Amino acid sequence: MLSQAILEKLLAFSDEEIDALNGKVNIDRSIYLDDEETIDARKILDEGALIGVRKHTRFMSYPAHKHNYIELMYVYSGTMTTTIDDHDIHLKTGQLLLVNQAIKHSIAPSGENDIIFNFIIKQEMLSFLSSVMGSEYKLNDFIFHSLYSSENI
């Protein structure tokens, strides 16, 4: 369980959330995008970082977009709805969704108590993990088979 101080910090409104509450209905796509629809890891991660985490901005919809990284969305509290290929995916507290890069998806607005964390994982991180873990580890096989194969294991 999180301490009260950390929980209060998570629930505090970011500048983007304050803008949304004041009537700004669209995100500033220039903050994130490298083209018309691709969110660029270089714009949201520190230089040289292979992985990062951000709290998802509440109260605004995120129009259809894709990433040049892998995203792991974790619902800490509340709910989240994302749409992939015209299929709504509803997540609730404790659930997560792994979205491969270049998968176009949109996200419905979330409410005040919907706390979602976005883990940003660059492809280089997977290469690094592979080299550290070595091929003899079953976890390594599972991760890479899950990411790069359509077969069930």
Side-chain angles (χ1 to χ4, degrees), residues 67 69-74 80 82 84 89 91 95-101 103 105 119 121 126 142-143 146-147:
H67 312 124
Y69 55 87
I70 294 166
E71 180 178 42
L72 178 70
M73 294 179 257
Y74 172 70
M80 180 188 108
T82 188
I84 301 173
I89 300 169
L91 300 175
Q95 293 184 318
L96 50 84
L97 178 66
L98 183 65
V99 179
N100 207 348
Q101 62 183 358
I103 300 297
H105 61 287
F119 292 85
I121 308 164
L126 298 178
F142 174 79
I143 290 170
S146 296
L147 291 172

Side-chain angles (χ1 to χ4, degrees), residues 110-126:
S110 53
E112 183 173 353
N113 295 313
D114 299 325
I115 305 297
I116 297 116
F117 295 108
N118 296 324
F119 292 85
I120 298 135
I121 308 164
K122 292 174 74 175
Q123 286 288 92
E124 295 93 328
M125 181 65 179
L126 298 178

Side-chain angles (χ1 to χ4, degrees), residues 42-99:
R42 293 171 298 188
K43 288 192 170 196
I44 56 177
L45 290 178
D46 292 335
E47 187 174 337
L50 298 178
I51 190 169
V53 63
R54 295 174 51 98
K55 183 179 84 169
H56 179 76
T57 303
R58 298 167 288 182
F59 314 118
M60 309 184 154
S61 65
Y62 280 73
H65 65 281
K66 55 188 177 178
H67 312 124
N68 62 3
Y69 55 87
I70 294 166
E71 180 178 42
L72 178 70
M73 294 179 257
Y74 172 70
V75 181
Y76 173 77
S77 68
T79 61
M80 180 188 108
T81 299
T82 188
T83 303
I84 301 173
D85 291 331
D86 296 323
H87 298 289
D88 289 340
I89 300 169
H90 304 284
L91 300 175
K92 58 186 178 184
T93 301
Q95 293 184 318
L96 50 84
L97 178 66
L98 183 65
V99 179

